Amino acid sequence: MGLFGKIRKEKQLKKDLEIATLENKIARKEVNTETMKAQKNIMRTIVDSGYSNGGASYTETWSKKYNAESLSPKSDIEENRKILRERTRDLAMNAPIATAAVTATNTSTIGSGLVVKPKIDYEYLGISREEATEIERTIKREFALWAESTLCDVADQNNFYELQQIAFSDWLRNGEEFVLILHEKPETGMPYGIKLRLILADRVCTPGASNGDYDGIDEKTENGNKIMNGIEIDPKGRVVAYHISSTFPGEMGLEKQEWTRVEKRGKRTGNENILHIFNAETAEQYRGVPFLAPIIETLKQTTRYTQAEIMAAITNAILAVFITTEDGEELDTGYGGEDDETDWGETTATAQKENEITLGTGTIVTLKPGEKVQAVESAHPSGSYAEFLNTMISQIGAALEISPEVLLKKFGQNFSASKGALNESWRAFMKRRKWFISDFCQVVYEQWLSEAVAIGRVNAPGYFTDPMIKKAYANATWTGPAQGCLNPLQEVNAASKRIEEGLSTREDECAAINGSEYEENVRTLLRENEQLAEVNRALENNMEEKDNGKN
């Protein structure tokens, strides 16, 4: 808990103590009852008005110990973000339901990576559709040269599509991701110098905070700005820079921990030097909240309950027997099934005790006088585990906008119900995909395109002269994993009907059904049909030659 959090708690305790003291004085009639009641009501604010009769009540039984307080995003989010991030990462690694929620969202939203499809606004540029198509093909080929190579990554480990997966996965676990956009000298075989470097959210912190924690106190800079949790903000509330630690906060190592100030935008070009990928929940929010934050308690308790059920099942699967004697003396007799310590210098026959009893199929055991065997059974703690788990998964799925069927990858209901569940989940996936494209993919694409035009590999007249011309050339759509079909024939027929009625386009339906591109499909079909026609002509010629030979 940060400093402000402690102050708030102390104030709340003081307030509660004052109210309790007043109530005691009223009960003992030490003060004027009416006066003190009025003072108490003022302290608690007016009651019996509007929400005071319900959710804002101080007097109802259920509200007696319901002490909730919500302040600024800095107090509500920033002071708690570190522990939320740590617990979310733990759940994502060790709790199966949390893992399923994270992977399902990543797979459906990003999949193997979002692919760009240039869509030049040729009408605004005053060029023909054919000219625009040729430029689009050039852009697509050039971007593939850069995006499909690991040289787009500073670490030379991942291509652009793999970086997308990592960045979005980090957003799910940490609530945010930072991406440095660097411009270096082109390497052999790669004409482009633009490179990306992903930065974990932990490393963006206020200089001097060696463990990365935030105590609620902002650091003032010489230029009048403030640094809040690693983000430098000017007096108008605009983000101007980010402070990045050279090492992972909290880890011990030989490297000295230092901070680098990275300005958000370049002074000459206005292009972003660093991207902050996060989805704000409220106004005046500067850092992200992990995806699983609202359900951490539910996930942890469900995981504990699951572990208890697993342990109960294991206990029930173990055969436990005891040999009892009439005099209660300890016996040397043991049951097989668990390895005994053996002196490996001795032979097996010598090491085995003469009075050892071994359990096995069809074994007949003769006990000594006064001995009897007693089995110990472990009762299962609960018979409603499946029902409870399904209820919890429904609540977890509702909070994350993921239907239970999608979360569990189990579609056991009828087609309409399953399709409805898939559609609802897909709306949430598409919402997240859209802002990820806006925050990451499109920004990177536009900066790459600027370099491609600048070095002459893409011909775009007027690109740097007018922002509107630049926007017209950079216009693009991004496609990713498709929703898929539960009943392919029925859904394809529905797609055909939508196209026929003008409610959709072939391009949109191709992307929705299997993630393909209509133009590429037409081009491929044309080539395949030509090849098929050639094969048919060759077969016909062979048949004619055979017939002529017979004649």
Side-chain angles (χ1 to χ4, degrees), residues 415 485-496:
F415 171 77
C485 300
L486 297 179
N487 187 330
L489 180 59
Q490 183 175 342
E491 295 182 45
V492 168
N493 288 337
S496 300

Side-chain angles (χ1 to χ4, degrees), residues 205-216:
C205 54
T206 301
S210 58
N211 61 354
D213 203 357
Y214 177 63
D215 58 7

Side-chain angles (χ1 to χ4, degrees), residues 318-324 335 359 372-378:
I318 297 175
L319 175 64
V321 295
F322 295 105
I323 294 180
T324 61
Y335 276 96
L359 295 179
K372 63 180 180 178
V373 174
Q374 180 178 353
V376 178
E377 296 182 359
S378 175

Side-chain angles (χ1 to χ4, degrees), residues 62-274:
W62 66 270
S63 67
K64 292 293 186 181
K65 295 185 179 180
Y66 192 172
N67 298 320
E69 185 176 16
S70 182
L71 300 175
S72 67
K74 185 173 77 170
S75 299
D76 290 348
I77 296 174
E78 298 298 333
E79 295 182 24
N80 303 308
R81 197 176 54 80
K82 185 173 185 289
I83 192 167
L84 290 176
R85 190 172 61 227
E86 292 168 346
R87 289 176 177 176
T88 295
R89 286 204 290 244
D90 174 70
L91 290 170
M93 288 187 286
N94 300 305
I97 298 176
T99 304
V102 169
T103 55
T105 303
N106 196 357
T107 299
S108 298
T109 306
I110 305 299
S112 57
L114 306 179
V115 180
V116 68
K117 179 175 176 56
K119 280 196 170 184
I120 294 175
D121 187 353
Y122 63 93
E123 294 176 335
Y124 178 80
L125 294 173
I127 61 177
S128 65
R129 171 69 265 188
E130 291 71 21
E131 290 177 302
T133 300
E134 189 58 36
I135 297 174
E136 288 170 354
R137 290 174 180 171
T138 301
I139 292 175
K140 191 172 182 180
R141 284 192 292 266
E142 289 291 326
F143 186 73
L145 172 65
W146 177 80
E148 294 175 5
S149 170
T150 58
L151 291 176
C152 71
D153 178 12
V154 168
D156 196 11
Q157 287 188 308
N158 302 286
N159 63 30
F160 180 60
Y161 306 106
E162 293 165 341
L163 289 175
Q164 290 180 39
Q165 299 171 49
I166 297 171
F168 191 76
S169 179
D170 283 346
W171 170 79
L172 291 168
R173 290 171 169 80
N174 302 321
E176 56 191 346
E177 179 80 335
F178 295 87
V179 184
L180 285 172
I181 303 180
L182 307 174
H183 297 273
E184 301 180 350
K185 184 178 179 180
E187 299 185 38
T188 303
M190 174 54 65
Y192 299 103
I194 182 173
K195 293 181 182 291
L196 307 178
R197 181 180 181 182
L198 303 184
I199 303 292
L200 277 173
D202 305 66
R203 291 182 56 193
V204 177
C205 54
T206 301
S210 58
N211 61 354
D213 203 357
Y214 177 63
D215 58 7
I217 300 177
D218 300 332
E219 180 179 319
K220 297 294 183 179
T221 63
E222 294 180 357
N223 58 7
N225 297 337
K226 66 177 181 180
I227 302 176
M228 185 188 72
N229 216 349
I231 298 182
E232 187 173 332
I233 306 165
D234 70 11
K236 295 181 180 180
R238 179 175 180 174
V239 176
V240 295
Y242 297 88
H243 295 260
I244 304 174
S245 170
S246 60
T247 61
F248 196 90
E251 282 193 352
M252 301 298 293
L254 299 177
E255 184 180 352
K256 181 181 178 181
Q257 187 177 16
E258 298 176 337
W259 279 262
T260 302
R261 181 180 184 271
V262 179
E263 293 189 359
K264 182 175 181 178
R265 295 183 181 274
K267 293 180 179 178
R268 289 194 307 163
T269 63
N271 291 337
E272 291 172 287
N273 297 320
I274 182 171

Side-chain angles (χ1 to χ4, degrees), residues 13-24:
L13 291 173
K14 184 178 179 181
K15 179 180 177 181
D16 292 342
L17 181 59
E18 289 175 353
I19 293 174
T21 303
L22 285 171
E23 289 177 339
N24 290 333

Side-chain angles (χ1 to χ4, degrees), residues 73-74 77-78 175 228 276 278-289:
K74 185 173 77 170
I77 296 174
E78 298 298 333
M228 185 188 72
H276 186 189
F278 84 109
N279 192 18
E281 297 178 351
T282 183
E284 301 184 45
Q285 178 182 341
Y286 290 95
R287 297 297 296 261
V289 177

